Short mmCIF file of all heavy atoms in Angstrom, two decimals:
data_model
loop_
_atom_site.label_atom_id
_atom_site.label_comp_id
_atom_site.label_asym_id
_atom_site.label_seq_id
_atom_site.Cartn_x
_atom_site.Cartn_y
_atom_site.Cartn_z
N MET C 175 148.25 243.47 169.16
CA MET C 175 147.50 242.28 168.81
C MET C 175 148.27 241.04 169.28
O MET C 175 149.48 241.00 169.23
CB MET C 175 147.25 242.22 167.31
CG MET C 175 146.33 241.10 166.90
SD MET C 175 145.80 241.36 165.19
CE MET C 175 145.70 239.71 164.64
N SER C 176 147.53 240.03 169.69
CA SER C 176 148.17 238.82 170.17
C SER C 176 148.65 237.96 169.01
O SER C 176 148.36 238.22 167.85
CB SER C 176 147.18 238.03 171.03
OG SER C 176 146.13 237.54 170.23
N HIS C 177 149.39 236.90 169.35
CA HIS C 177 149.81 235.91 168.35
C HIS C 177 148.56 235.40 167.64
O HIS C 177 147.54 235.17 168.29
CB HIS C 177 150.54 234.77 169.07
CG HIS C 177 151.10 233.76 168.14
ND1 HIS C 177 150.34 232.76 167.61
CD2 HIS C 177 152.34 233.62 167.61
CE1 HIS C 177 151.09 232.01 166.81
NE2 HIS C 177 152.29 232.53 166.80
N PRO C 178 148.58 235.22 166.32
CA PRO C 178 147.37 234.86 165.56
C PRO C 178 146.63 233.64 166.08
O PRO C 178 145.42 233.58 165.98
CB PRO C 178 147.90 234.61 164.15
CG PRO C 178 149.17 235.38 164.06
CD PRO C 178 149.73 235.40 165.46
N LEU C 179 147.33 232.66 166.62
CA LEU C 179 146.64 231.46 167.09
C LEU C 179 146.15 231.58 168.53
O LEU C 179 145.54 230.66 169.04
CB LEU C 179 147.54 230.23 166.94
CG LEU C 179 147.82 229.84 165.49
CD1 LEU C 179 148.75 228.64 165.43
CD2 LEU C 179 146.54 229.55 164.73
N HIS C 180 146.42 232.70 169.16
CA HIS C 180 145.98 232.93 170.53
C HIS C 180 145.15 234.21 170.57
O HIS C 180 145.62 235.25 171.02
CB HIS C 180 147.18 233.01 171.48
CG HIS C 180 147.96 231.75 171.53
ND1 HIS C 180 149.08 231.54 170.77
CD2 HIS C 180 147.76 230.62 172.23
CE1 HIS C 180 149.54 230.32 171.01
NE2 HIS C 180 148.77 229.74 171.89
N LEU C 181 143.92 234.12 170.10
CA LEU C 181 143.05 235.29 170.05
C LEU C 181 142.50 235.62 171.43
O LEU C 181 142.14 234.72 172.19
CB LEU C 181 141.89 235.05 169.08
CG LEU C 181 142.28 234.78 167.63
CD1 LEU C 181 141.05 234.41 166.82
CD2 LEU C 181 142.96 235.99 167.04
N THR C 182 142.42 236.90 171.72
CA THR C 182 141.81 237.33 172.98
C THR C 182 140.30 237.28 172.84
O THR C 182 139.75 237.17 171.72
CB THR C 182 142.22 238.78 173.31
OG1 THR C 182 141.67 239.65 172.31
CG2 THR C 182 143.74 238.93 173.38
N ASP C 183 139.60 237.38 173.96
CA ASP C 183 138.14 237.44 173.92
C ASP C 183 137.67 238.61 173.07
O ASP C 183 136.73 238.49 172.28
CB ASP C 183 137.56 237.54 175.33
CG ASP C 183 137.71 236.26 176.13
OD1 ASP C 183 138.03 235.20 175.55
OD2 ASP C 183 137.49 236.32 177.36
N ALA C 184 138.34 239.75 173.22
CA ALA C 184 137.96 240.94 172.45
C ALA C 184 138.13 240.71 170.95
O ALA C 184 137.30 241.15 170.15
CB ALA C 184 138.80 242.14 172.90
N GLU C 185 139.20 240.02 170.56
CA GLU C 185 139.42 239.73 169.14
C GLU C 185 138.34 238.78 168.61
O GLU C 185 137.87 238.95 167.48
CB GLU C 185 140.81 239.14 168.93
CG GLU C 185 141.92 240.16 169.13
CD GLU C 185 143.30 239.55 169.19
OE1 GLU C 185 143.47 238.43 169.74
OE2 GLU C 185 144.23 240.20 168.68
N LEU C 186 137.97 237.79 169.41
CA LEU C 186 136.90 236.88 168.98
C LEU C 186 135.57 237.61 168.84
O LEU C 186 134.84 237.40 167.87
CB LEU C 186 136.76 235.72 169.97
CG LEU C 186 137.83 234.64 169.86
CD1 LEU C 186 137.70 233.66 171.02
CD2 LEU C 186 137.72 233.91 168.53
N ILE C 187 135.25 238.46 169.79
CA ILE C 187 134.00 239.22 169.73
C ILE C 187 134.01 240.13 168.50
O ILE C 187 132.99 240.25 167.80
CB ILE C 187 133.77 240.01 171.03
CG1 ILE C 187 133.46 239.03 172.15
CG2 ILE C 187 132.65 241.03 170.87
CD1 ILE C 187 133.47 239.62 173.54
N ALA C 188 135.13 240.74 168.20
CA ALA C 188 135.23 241.59 167.02
C ALA C 188 134.98 240.77 165.76
O ALA C 188 134.25 241.20 164.86
CB ALA C 188 136.60 242.26 166.95
N ARG C 189 135.53 239.59 165.69
CA ARG C 189 135.31 238.73 164.52
C ARG C 189 133.88 238.23 164.46
O ARG C 189 133.34 238.02 163.38
CB ARG C 189 136.30 237.57 164.51
CG ARG C 189 137.70 238.05 164.22
CD ARG C 189 138.72 236.95 164.35
NE ARG C 189 140.05 237.52 164.29
CZ ARG C 189 141.03 237.02 163.56
NH1 ARG C 189 140.85 235.94 162.85
NH2 ARG C 189 142.21 237.60 163.57
N LEU C 190 133.26 238.06 165.60
CA LEU C 190 131.86 237.62 165.65
C LEU C 190 130.95 238.65 165.00
O LEU C 190 130.01 238.30 164.30
CB LEU C 190 131.45 237.39 167.11
CG LEU C 190 130.00 237.05 167.38
CD1 LEU C 190 129.65 235.68 166.81
CD2 LEU C 190 129.72 237.09 168.86
N THR C 191 131.24 239.92 165.21
CA THR C 191 130.33 240.97 164.76
C THR C 191 130.72 241.59 163.42
O THR C 191 129.92 242.32 162.84
CB THR C 191 130.22 242.07 165.83
OG1 THR C 191 131.52 242.59 166.11
CG2 THR C 191 129.60 241.53 167.10
N HIS C 192 131.93 241.33 162.91
CA HIS C 192 132.33 241.88 161.62
C HIS C 192 131.85 240.98 160.49
O HIS C 192 131.43 239.84 160.70
CB HIS C 192 133.85 242.04 161.55
CG HIS C 192 134.35 243.19 162.36
ND1 HIS C 192 135.33 243.03 163.29
CD2 HIS C 192 133.98 244.48 162.41
CE1 HIS C 192 135.56 244.20 163.88
NE2 HIS C 192 134.74 245.09 163.37
N THR C 193 131.97 241.46 159.28
CA THR C 193 131.55 240.72 158.09
C THR C 193 132.31 239.40 157.96
O THR C 193 133.50 239.33 158.26
CB THR C 193 131.82 241.58 156.84
OG1 THR C 193 131.21 242.85 157.00
CG2 THR C 193 131.29 240.93 155.59
N GLU C 194 131.60 238.37 157.49
CA GLU C 194 132.27 237.10 157.22
C GLU C 194 133.32 237.30 156.14
O GLU C 194 133.20 238.17 155.30
CB GLU C 194 131.26 236.05 156.74
CG GLU C 194 130.32 235.56 157.79
CD GLU C 194 129.39 234.47 157.27
OE1 GLU C 194 129.06 234.47 156.07
OE2 GLU C 194 129.01 233.63 158.07
N ASN C 195 134.35 236.45 156.19
CA ASN C 195 135.39 236.47 155.17
C ASN C 195 135.92 235.06 154.98
O ASN C 195 135.29 234.10 155.44
CB ASN C 195 136.49 237.48 155.55
CG ASN C 195 137.15 237.15 156.88
OD1 ASN C 195 137.55 236.01 157.12
ND2 ASN C 195 137.27 238.14 157.74
N SER C 196 137.04 234.92 154.35
CA SER C 196 137.59 233.59 154.06
C SER C 196 137.94 232.80 155.31
O SER C 196 138.09 231.58 155.24
CB SER C 196 138.84 233.72 153.19
OG SER C 196 138.52 234.31 151.96
N PHE C 197 138.07 233.48 156.46
CA PHE C 197 138.49 232.80 157.67
C PHE C 197 137.51 232.96 158.83
O PHE C 197 137.82 232.56 159.95
CB PHE C 197 139.89 233.29 158.08
CG PHE C 197 140.89 233.15 156.98
CD1 PHE C 197 141.41 234.27 156.35
CD2 PHE C 197 141.29 231.90 156.53
CE1 PHE C 197 142.32 234.14 155.32
CE2 PHE C 197 142.20 231.76 155.50
CZ PHE C 197 142.71 232.88 154.88
N VAL C 198 136.35 233.53 158.57
CA VAL C 198 135.31 233.68 159.59
C VAL C 198 133.96 233.34 158.96
O VAL C 198 133.58 233.93 157.95
CB VAL C 198 135.24 235.11 160.17
CG1 VAL C 198 134.09 235.25 161.15
CG2 VAL C 198 136.56 235.47 160.84
N GLU C 199 133.27 232.35 159.53
CA GLU C 199 131.95 231.94 159.05
C GLU C 199 131.00 231.82 160.23
O GLU C 199 131.42 231.52 161.34
CB GLU C 199 132.03 230.57 158.35
CG GLU C 199 132.63 230.59 156.98
CD GLU C 199 131.67 231.06 155.91
OE1 GLU C 199 130.45 230.93 156.07
OE2 GLU C 199 132.16 231.57 154.89
N ARG C 200 129.72 232.01 159.95
CA ARG C 200 128.67 231.83 160.95
C ARG C 200 127.65 230.85 160.39
O ARG C 200 127.23 230.99 159.25
CB ARG C 200 127.98 233.16 161.25
CG ARG C 200 128.88 234.18 161.85
CD ARG C 200 128.14 235.52 162.02
NE ARG C 200 129.08 236.59 162.26
CZ ARG C 200 129.67 237.29 161.30
NH1 ARG C 200 129.38 237.08 160.04
NH2 ARG C 200 130.53 238.24 161.59
N LYS C 201 127.26 229.89 161.19
CA LYS C 201 126.27 228.90 160.77
C LYS C 201 125.34 228.59 161.95
O LYS C 201 125.74 228.64 163.10
CB LYS C 201 126.94 227.58 160.35
CG LYS C 201 127.91 227.68 159.21
CD LYS C 201 127.21 227.91 157.91
CE LYS C 201 128.23 227.96 156.77
NZ LYS C 201 127.69 228.54 155.57
N SER C 202 124.10 228.24 161.62
CA SER C 202 123.19 227.78 162.67
C SER C 202 123.62 226.37 163.07
O SER C 202 124.24 225.64 162.28
CB SER C 202 121.74 227.77 162.17
OG SER C 202 121.56 226.78 161.19
N LYS C 203 123.29 225.99 164.29
CA LYS C 203 123.64 224.65 164.75
C LYS C 203 122.95 223.59 163.91
O LYS C 203 123.49 222.51 163.71
CB LYS C 203 123.26 224.46 166.22
CG LYS C 203 124.15 225.21 167.17
CD LYS C 203 123.87 224.85 168.61
CE LYS C 203 122.50 225.30 169.04
NZ LYS C 203 122.24 225.13 170.46
N SER C 204 121.78 223.90 163.38
CA SER C 204 121.03 222.92 162.60
C SER C 204 121.56 222.75 161.17
O SER C 204 121.21 221.80 160.50
CB SER C 204 119.55 223.32 162.54
OG SER C 204 119.40 224.57 161.89
N ASP C 205 122.44 223.64 160.72
CA ASP C 205 123.00 223.56 159.36
C ASP C 205 124.25 222.69 159.35
O ASP C 205 125.33 223.13 158.98
CB ASP C 205 123.30 224.98 158.85
CG ASP C 205 123.79 225.00 157.41
OD1 ASP C 205 123.71 223.95 156.73
OD2 ASP C 205 124.27 226.06 156.98
N LYS C 206 124.08 221.43 159.72
CA LYS C 206 125.23 220.53 159.83
C LYS C 206 125.99 220.41 158.52
O LYS C 206 127.21 220.45 158.50
CB LYS C 206 124.79 219.14 160.31
CG LYS C 206 125.94 218.20 160.56
CD LYS C 206 125.48 216.88 161.13
CE LYS C 206 126.65 215.98 161.42
NZ LYS C 206 126.25 214.69 161.96
N GLY C 207 125.27 220.32 157.40
CA GLY C 207 125.94 220.23 156.11
C GLY C 207 126.77 221.47 155.82
O GLY C 207 127.89 221.38 155.31
N GLY C 208 126.23 222.63 156.18
CA GLY C 208 126.94 223.89 155.95
C GLY C 208 128.20 224.00 156.78
O GLY C 208 129.26 224.40 156.29
N TRP C 209 128.09 223.65 158.07
CA TRP C 209 129.29 223.81 158.88
C TRP C 209 130.31 222.72 158.61
O TRP C 209 131.52 222.95 158.73
CB TRP C 209 129.02 224.01 160.37
CG TRP C 209 128.20 223.05 161.15
CD1 TRP C 209 126.90 223.19 161.50
CD2 TRP C 209 128.63 221.82 161.73
NE1 TRP C 209 126.50 222.12 162.26
CE2 TRP C 209 127.55 221.26 162.41
CE3 TRP C 209 129.84 221.12 161.73
CZ2 TRP C 209 127.62 220.04 163.09
CZ3 TRP C 209 129.93 219.92 162.40
CH2 TRP C 209 128.82 219.39 163.07
N LEU C 210 129.87 221.53 158.18
CA LEU C 210 130.85 220.51 157.80
C LEU C 210 131.64 220.95 156.56
O LEU C 210 132.85 220.78 156.50
CB LEU C 210 130.16 219.17 157.54
CG LEU C 210 129.70 218.41 158.78
CD1 LEU C 210 128.88 217.19 158.38
CD2 LEU C 210 130.90 218.00 159.62
N LYS C 211 130.94 221.53 155.58
CA LYS C 211 131.63 222.05 154.38
C LYS C 211 132.60 223.16 154.76
O LYS C 211 133.71 223.24 154.22
CB LYS C 211 130.60 222.58 153.38
CG LYS C 211 129.83 221.49 152.69
CD LYS C 211 128.80 222.09 151.74
CE LYS C 211 127.92 220.99 151.17
NZ LYS C 211 126.88 221.56 150.29
N THR C 212 132.20 224.00 155.70
CA THR C 212 133.07 225.09 156.14
C THR C 212 134.32 224.55 156.81
O THR C 212 135.43 225.03 156.55
CB THR C 212 132.31 226.04 157.10
OG1 THR C 212 131.19 226.59 156.39
CG2 THR C 212 133.20 227.15 157.62
N VAL C 213 134.18 223.56 157.67
CA VAL C 213 135.34 222.97 158.35
C VAL C 213 136.30 222.38 157.32
O VAL C 213 137.52 222.57 157.41
CB VAL C 213 134.90 221.91 159.38
CG1 VAL C 213 136.07 221.11 159.89
CG2 VAL C 213 134.15 222.56 160.53
N VAL C 214 135.77 221.67 156.33
CA VAL C 214 136.64 221.10 155.30
C VAL C 214 137.33 222.21 154.50
O VAL C 214 138.53 222.14 154.24
CB VAL C 214 135.83 220.16 154.36
CG1 VAL C 214 136.66 219.74 153.16
CG2 VAL C 214 135.34 218.94 155.13
N ALA C 215 136.59 223.24 154.15
CA ALA C 215 137.18 224.36 153.41
C ALA C 215 138.28 225.03 154.23
O ALA C 215 139.35 225.35 153.71
CB ALA C 215 136.11 225.37 153.04
N PHE C 216 138.03 225.25 155.53
CA PHE C 216 139.05 225.83 156.39
C PHE C 216 140.29 224.92 156.44
O PHE C 216 141.42 225.39 156.36
CB PHE C 216 138.53 226.03 157.81
CG PHE C 216 137.64 227.23 158.00
CD1 PHE C 216 136.91 227.37 159.17
CD2 PHE C 216 137.53 228.24 157.06
CE1 PHE C 216 136.10 228.48 159.39
CE2 PHE C 216 136.73 229.35 157.25
CZ PHE C 216 136.00 229.47 158.44
N ALA C 217 140.07 223.63 156.57
CA ALA C 217 141.18 222.68 156.70
C ALA C 217 142.05 222.65 155.44
O ALA C 217 143.26 222.45 155.53
CB ALA C 217 140.65 221.28 156.99
N THR C 218 141.45 222.86 154.29
CA THR C 218 142.21 222.78 153.04
C THR C 218 142.73 224.12 152.54
O THR C 218 143.58 224.14 151.65
CB THR C 218 141.36 222.12 151.93
OG1 THR C 218 140.20 222.92 151.70
CG2 THR C 218 140.97 220.71 152.32
N SER C 219 142.25 225.23 153.10
CA SER C 219 142.65 226.51 152.52
C SER C 219 143.28 227.50 153.50
O SER C 219 143.87 228.49 153.06
CB SER C 219 141.43 227.19 151.87
OG SER C 219 140.47 227.54 152.85
N THR C 220 143.18 227.25 154.78
CA THR C 220 143.71 228.21 155.75
C THR C 220 145.23 228.03 155.87
O THR C 220 145.70 226.94 156.15
CB THR C 220 143.07 228.01 157.13
OG1 THR C 220 141.65 228.12 156.99
CG2 THR C 220 143.56 229.04 158.12
N PRO C 221 145.98 229.11 155.65
CA PRO C 221 147.43 229.01 155.79
C PRO C 221 147.83 228.63 157.22
O PRO C 221 147.19 229.04 158.19
CB PRO C 221 147.93 230.42 155.47
CG PRO C 221 146.83 231.03 154.65
CD PRO C 221 145.56 230.44 155.20
N ILE C 222 148.89 227.86 157.32
CA ILE C 222 149.41 227.46 158.63
C ILE C 222 149.76 228.71 159.41
O ILE C 222 150.38 229.63 158.90
CB ILE C 222 150.63 226.54 158.48
CG1 ILE C 222 150.20 225.22 157.83
CG2 ILE C 222 151.32 226.30 159.83
CD1 ILE C 222 151.33 224.30 157.46
N GLY C 223 149.33 228.75 160.66
CA GLY C 223 149.62 229.89 161.53
C GLY C 223 148.52 230.92 161.60
O GLY C 223 148.58 231.82 162.41
N LEU C 224 147.50 230.80 160.73
CA LEU C 224 146.38 231.73 160.78
C LEU C 224 145.15 231.01 161.32
O LEU C 224 144.92 229.85 161.01
CB LEU C 224 146.07 232.29 159.39
CG LEU C 224 147.09 233.22 158.78
CD1 LEU C 224 146.65 233.67 157.39
CD2 LEU C 224 147.32 234.43 159.66
N PRO C 225 144.35 231.70 162.13
CA PRO C 225 143.14 231.07 162.64
C PRO C 225 141.99 231.15 161.63
O PRO C 225 141.90 232.11 160.86
CB PRO C 225 142.80 231.90 163.89
CG PRO C 225 143.33 233.26 163.55
CD PRO C 225 144.56 233.01 162.72
N ALA C 226 141.16 230.15 161.64
CA ALA C 226 139.89 230.17 160.90
C ALA C 226 138.82 229.89 161.95
O ALA C 226 138.95 228.97 162.76
CB ALA C 226 139.87 229.12 159.81
N ILE C 227 137.76 230.67 161.96
CA ILE C 227 136.78 230.59 163.03
C ILE C 227 135.40 230.30 162.47
O ILE C 227 134.92 231.00 161.58
CB ILE C 227 136.75 231.91 163.83
CG1 ILE C 227 138.14 232.23 164.37
CG2 ILE C 227 135.72 231.83 164.95
CD1 ILE C 227 138.28 233.63 164.89
N LEU C 228 134.78 229.28 163.02
CA LEU C 228 133.40 228.93 162.68
C LEU C 228 132.56 229.18 163.93
O LEU C 228 132.75 228.52 164.95
CB LEU C 228 133.29 227.48 162.25
CG LEU C 228 131.89 226.92 162.05
CD1 LEU C 228 131.10 227.71 161.00
CD2 LEU C 228 131.95 225.45 161.68
N PHE C 229 131.64 230.14 163.84
CA PHE C 229 130.72 230.41 164.93
C PHE C 229 129.44 229.63 164.67
O PHE C 229 128.78 229.84 163.65
CB PHE C 229 130.40 231.91 165.00
CG PHE C 229 131.55 232.78 165.42
CD1 PHE C 229 132.23 233.55 164.49
CD2 PHE C 229 131.96 232.83 166.74
CE1 PHE C 229 133.28 234.36 164.86
CE2 PHE C 229 133.02 233.64 167.13
CZ PHE C 229 133.68 234.40 166.18
N LEU C 230 129.10 228.74 165.56
CA LEU C 230 127.86 227.96 165.44
C LEU C 230 126.78 228.60 166.29
O LEU C 230 127.02 229.03 167.41
CB LEU C 230 128.07 226.52 165.92
CG LEU C 230 128.97 225.66 165.06
CD1 LEU C 230 129.16 224.29 165.70
CD2 LEU C 230 128.41 225.52 163.66
N GLY C 231 125.56 228.65 165.73
CA GLY C 231 124.44 229.23 166.46
C GLY C 231 124.45 230.73 166.44
O GLY C 231 123.98 231.38 167.37
N VAL C 232 124.99 231.31 165.36
CA VAL C 232 125.10 232.76 165.25
C VAL C 232 124.52 233.20 163.91
O VAL C 232 124.82 232.61 162.88
CB VAL C 232 126.57 233.20 165.37
CG1 VAL C 232 126.71 234.70 165.21
CG2 VAL C 232 127.16 232.75 166.70
N ASP C 233 123.69 234.25 163.94
CA ASP C 233 123.13 234.80 162.71
C ASP C 233 124.21 235.53 161.93
O ASP C 233 125.26 235.86 162.46
CB ASP C 233 122.01 235.82 163.03
CG ASP C 233 120.78 235.17 163.61
OD1 ASP C 233 120.51 233.98 163.31
OD2 ASP C 233 120.07 235.85 164.38
N ASN C 234 123.91 235.85 160.67
CA ASN C 234 124.88 236.55 159.82
C ASN C 234 125.25 237.92 160.35
O ASN C 234 126.31 238.45 160.01
CB ASN C 234 124.36 236.67 158.39
CG ASN C 234 124.51 235.37 157.64
OD1 ASN C 234 125.37 234.56 157.95
ND2 ASN C 234 123.67 235.16 156.66
N ASP C 235 124.40 238.52 161.19
CA ASP C 235 124.73 239.83 161.76
C ASP C 235 125.53 239.73 163.05
O ASP C 235 125.82 240.73 163.70
CB ASP C 235 123.46 240.66 161.98
CG ASP C 235 122.50 240.04 162.97
OD1 ASP C 235 122.79 238.95 163.51
OD2 ASP C 235 121.45 240.64 163.21
N GLY C 236 125.90 238.51 163.45
CA GLY C 236 126.71 238.32 164.64
C GLY C 236 125.92 238.11 165.92
O GLY C 236 126.49 237.99 166.99
N GLN C 237 124.59 238.05 165.81
CA GLN C 237 123.74 237.83 166.99
C GLN C 237 123.61 236.33 167.26
O GLN C 237 123.36 235.55 166.34
CB GLN C 237 122.36 238.43 166.77
CG GLN C 237 122.36 239.93 166.63
CD GLN C 237 122.83 240.62 167.90
OE1 GLN C 237 122.37 240.32 168.99
NE2 GLN C 237 123.77 241.54 167.74
N ILE C 238 123.75 235.95 168.52
CA ILE C 238 123.59 234.55 168.89
C ILE C 238 122.12 234.20 168.72
O ILE C 238 121.24 234.85 169.27
CB ILE C 238 124.06 234.31 170.33
CG1 ILE C 238 125.56 234.60 170.41
CG2 ILE C 238 123.75 232.89 170.77
CD1 ILE C 238 126.12 234.61 171.80
N SER C 239 121.85 233.17 167.90
CA SER C 239 120.47 232.87 167.54
C SER C 239 119.93 231.59 168.16
O SER C 239 118.76 231.50 168.44
CB SER C 239 120.34 232.76 166.02
OG SER C 239 121.14 231.69 165.54
N ASP C 240 120.79 230.62 168.32
CA ASP C 240 120.32 229.33 168.81
C ASP C 240 120.58 229.25 170.31
O ASP C 240 121.72 229.15 170.73
CB ASP C 240 121.04 228.17 168.12
CG ASP C 240 120.77 228.13 166.63
OD1 ASP C 240 119.77 228.72 166.20
OD2 ASP C 240 121.55 227.51 165.90
N GLY C 241 119.52 229.31 171.09
CA GLY C 241 119.68 229.16 172.52
C GLY C 241 120.01 227.72 172.85
O GLY C 241 120.14 226.88 171.99
N GLY C 242 120.17 227.45 174.09
CA GLY C 242 120.41 226.07 174.48
C GLY C 242 121.68 225.92 175.28
O GLY C 242 122.37 226.87 175.61
N ASP C 243 121.97 224.69 175.53
CA ASP C 243 123.09 224.30 176.37
C ASP C 243 124.36 224.14 175.52
O ASP C 243 124.45 223.21 174.71
CB ASP C 243 122.72 222.99 177.06
CG ASP C 243 123.74 222.50 178.04
OD1 ASP C 243 124.89 222.97 178.01
OD2 ASP C 243 123.39 221.63 178.85
N ALA C 244 125.32 225.03 175.70
CA ALA C 244 126.55 225.00 174.90
C ALA C 244 127.32 223.70 175.12
O ALA C 244 127.86 223.14 174.18
CB ALA C 244 127.42 226.20 175.26
N GLU C 245 127.36 223.21 176.35
CA GLU C 245 128.10 221.98 176.63
C GLU C 245 127.47 220.80 175.89
O GLU C 245 128.17 219.97 175.31
CB GLU C 245 128.15 221.69 178.13
CG GLU C 245 129.04 220.52 178.48
CD GLU C 245 129.23 220.37 179.98
OE1 GLU C 245 129.17 221.36 180.70
OE2 GLU C 245 129.47 219.22 180.41
N LYS C 246 126.15 220.73 175.89
CA LYS C 246 125.45 219.65 175.18
C LYS C 246 125.72 219.75 173.67
O LYS C 246 125.95 218.73 173.01
CB LYS C 246 123.94 219.72 175.44
CG LYS C 246 123.17 218.62 174.78
CD LYS C 246 121.69 218.71 175.11
CE LYS C 246 120.91 217.63 174.37
NZ LYS C 246 119.48 217.74 174.63
N THR C 247 125.73 220.96 173.14
CA THR C 247 126.02 221.15 171.72
C THR C 247 127.43 220.65 171.39
O THR C 247 127.63 219.94 170.40
CB THR C 247 125.89 222.63 171.34
OG1 THR C 247 124.55 223.05 171.60
CG2 THR C 247 126.22 222.85 169.87
N LEU C 248 128.41 220.99 172.22
CA LEU C 248 129.77 220.53 171.98
C LEU C 248 129.87 219.01 172.03
O LEU C 248 130.57 218.40 171.22
CB LEU C 248 130.73 221.15 173.00
CG LEU C 248 130.98 222.64 172.83
CD1 LEU C 248 131.79 223.18 174.00
CD2 LEU C 248 131.69 222.92 171.52
N GLN C 249 129.17 218.39 172.96
CA GLN C 249 129.18 216.92 173.04
C GLN C 249 128.55 216.32 171.80
O GLN C 249 129.04 215.33 171.26
CB GLN C 249 128.44 216.45 174.28
CG GLN C 249 129.18 216.74 175.56
CD GLN C 249 128.35 216.42 176.81
OE1 GLN C 249 127.15 216.21 176.74
NE2 GLN C 249 129.01 216.39 177.96
N THR C 250 127.47 216.92 171.31
CA THR C 250 126.79 216.42 170.11
C THR C 250 127.71 216.54 168.89
O THR C 250 127.79 215.62 168.09
CB THR C 250 125.50 217.21 169.85
OG1 THR C 250 124.64 217.07 170.98
CG2 THR C 250 124.79 216.74 168.61
N LEU C 251 128.42 217.66 168.78
CA LEU C 251 129.28 217.89 167.62
C LEU C 251 130.51 217.00 167.64
O LEU C 251 130.99 216.61 166.59
CB LEU C 251 129.70 219.36 167.57
CG LEU C 251 128.59 220.37 167.40
CD1 LEU C 251 129.14 221.78 167.46
CD2 LEU C 251 127.82 220.14 166.13
N SER C 252 131.00 216.68 168.81
CA SER C 252 132.20 215.85 168.88
C SER C 252 131.85 214.40 168.66
O SER C 252 132.57 213.62 168.16
CB SER C 252 132.93 216.02 170.20
OG SER C 252 132.14 215.56 171.26
#
């Protein structure tokens, strides 16, 4: 396994499809309130050195649900 802060693509995909936990959440892009709360929770509770991952536009079963332009979504979120 790689260093915790440097996840491989395979590790990210595995986290995408496994059950949510304290450090992995999935939210729709339209659930801005939900993902903002998740980011704050991650910021206040994730131990230093461990990754916390928020997948936007992904259903609870790990399937990508929200189509669209990923670059535009990132610009909107930033």
Side-chain angles (χ1 to χ4, degrees):
M175 187 166 145
S176 67
H177 184 278
L179 293 178
H180 297 96
L181 299 174
T182 65
D183 289 347
E185 290 169 323
L186 283 172
I187 291 169
R189 290 174 190 225
L190 175 68
T191 57
H192 287 127
T193 306
E194 289 183 330
N195 59 49
S196 298
F197 306 111
V198 176
E199 285 280 334
R200 297 176 195 88
K201 301 287 182 197
S202 68
K203 288 188 294 187
S204 62
D205 184 11
K206 185 176 182 180
W209 55 259
L210 285 173
K211 288 178 186 177
T212 299
V213 169
V214 171
F216 282 167
T218 61
S219 66
T220 304
I222 294 172
L224 291 179
I227 303 167
L228 172 59
F229 292 104
L230 292 176
V232 178
D233 291 332
N234 283 334
D235 63 0
Q237 296 296 311
I238 297 171
S239 63
D240 297 340
D243 184 344
E245 187 172 332
K246 182 178 177 182
T247 300
L248 289 173
Q249 289 173 347
T250 301
L251 298 176
S252 65

